[in-house]
Amino acid sequence: MSRALVVGNWKMNLDHVEAVHLTQQLGVILASRPAPHVDVVVAPPFVDLRSVGSVLEADRSAIELAAQHANPLPSGAHTGEVSVPMLARLRVRWVIVGHSERRALYAMSDDVVAATARAVVAGGLRAIVCVGEDEAVREAGRHREHVRAQVLAALEGLSAPEGDVVVAYEPVWAIGTGRSAGVEEVREMAHVIAEALATTRVTGARVLYGGSVNADNAADLLGGGVDGFLVGGASLRAESFGAIVSAGESCYAGGR
Ligand code: PGA
């Protein structure tokens, strides 16, 4: 791909006032350090989407809005859930699908991940499908087949416009631990994912890495052949997120 993708997953952090503040700071940083070769996306909590969207619109910002989750159904008796059409009305362009925290803490099965990815694409939005093994699976040496199976299950029966599906490789043991995967580990898993993708009907999918990405390791990790990052903790500060975007720009500006 000729463009990097850097997504900030704010998780359950920042109320709408704090979210507006961070969005404005990010706008200032990206204006002073333009990154024309990087698609920049932020994924605030649902309750912040409208406020953050208004700031981005007023600033004519190139930053795009993502939701952290969606229910696969369009409406109905699902207390606490939010649907894809509701997100689309808020000009949300992307949805994170099957983050490991949703899989582990909210029992999101492979089937629900697949149904959600289909609903996102059918609703005209873009899906960031998350896959990744936990520590026990890696120690057992089963990470390659585990991740391959997750990719195939999530994309089962899915066809999407070119580039509307992104796969984020996020090893659970690297998320929020300060212990990012090594470049060679990232390279190996990016390859496994690319091979799995080649057997699906999804085309042009960018592959991201996520798990303790920060301003210091971002440039190195891009050497693992991924197209960008899904960033948690380091996306909560404009300066560190801006530095990760800049690492993407340096890597892609010369044409990757
Ligand atoms: P982290 O989270 O960057 O804080 O490790 C990444 C993620 O969960 O998407």
Side-chain angles (χ1 to χ4, degrees):
M1 287 295 296
S2 56
R3 297 178 61 76
L5 172 62
V6 177
V7 183
N9 174 12
W10 297 356
K11 306 194 180 184
M12 195 171 70
N13 296 293
L14 310 181
D15 63 31
H16 76 282
V17 176
E18 296 164 329
V20 161
H21 190 59
L22 176 57
T23 306
Q24 288 166 334
Q25 288 180 320
L26 262 180
V28 171
I29 284 188
L30 293 184
S32 69
R33 278 186 260 145
H37 300 86
V38 186
D39 295 325
V40 181
V41 177
V42 292
F46 288 133
V47 294
D48 301 350
L49 286 171
R50 178 146 184 142
S51 313
V52 171
S54 299
V55 173
L56 296 177
E57 208 183 330
D59 289 353
R60 293 201 171 80
S61 173
I63 300 173
E64 294 185 325
L65 210 49
Q68 298 174 15
H69 174 63
N71 188 284
L73 298 171
S75 62
H78 292 274
T79 303
E81 289 290 280
V82 170
S83 73
V84 172
M86 292 171 181
L87 296 169
R89 288 275 282 162
L90 287 173
R91 296 175 201 233
V92 169
R93 185 87 178 84
W94 302 80
V95 181
I96 298 173
V97 179
H99 188 281
S100 62
E101 287 152 16
R102 303 264 0 147
R103 293 178 189 256
L105 304 174
Y106 302 97
M108 197 172 178
S109 66
D110 277 340
D111 285 352
V112 177
V113 171
T116 307
R118 283 196 297 270
V120 168
V121 169
L125 274 59
R126 298 172 151 192
I128 302 164
V129 174
C130 299
V131 296
E133 80 287 355
D134 64 19
E135 184 122 53
V137 169
R138 178 156 284 261
E139 273 170 10
R142 291 180 30 247
H143 45 288
R144 286 170 292 263
E145 65 223 62
H146 180 86
V147 165
R148 188 178 304 122
Q150 280 183 320
V151 171
L152 296 180
L155 305 186
E156 164 102 58
L158 185 70
S159 46
E162 172 95 12
D164 276 9
V165 173
V166 166
V167 176
Y169 170 59
E170 297 207 305
V172 176
W173 46 268
I175 294 178
T177 58
R179 190 183 132 212
S180 121
V183 181
E184 288 314 316
E185 287 164 332
V186 171
R187 188 193 310 283
E188 176 185 42
M189 297 310 286
H191 184 67
V192 165
I193 291 168
E195 276 186 345
L197 281 167
T199 70
T200 71
R201 282 189 277 159
V202 167
T203 54
R206 282 181 280 189
V207 177
L208 308 183
Y209 168 74
S212 298
V213 177
N214 58 42
D216 297 329
N217 62 17
D220 278 353
L221 287 165
L222 282 169
V226 283
D227 303 299
F229 301 116
L230 181 52
V231 186
S235 71
L236 295 173
R237 288 194 359 266
E239 193 49 54
S240 50
F241 190 63
I244 294 166
V245 171
S246 294
E249 177 63 21
S250 309
C251 181
Y252 276 71
R256 188 166 215 208

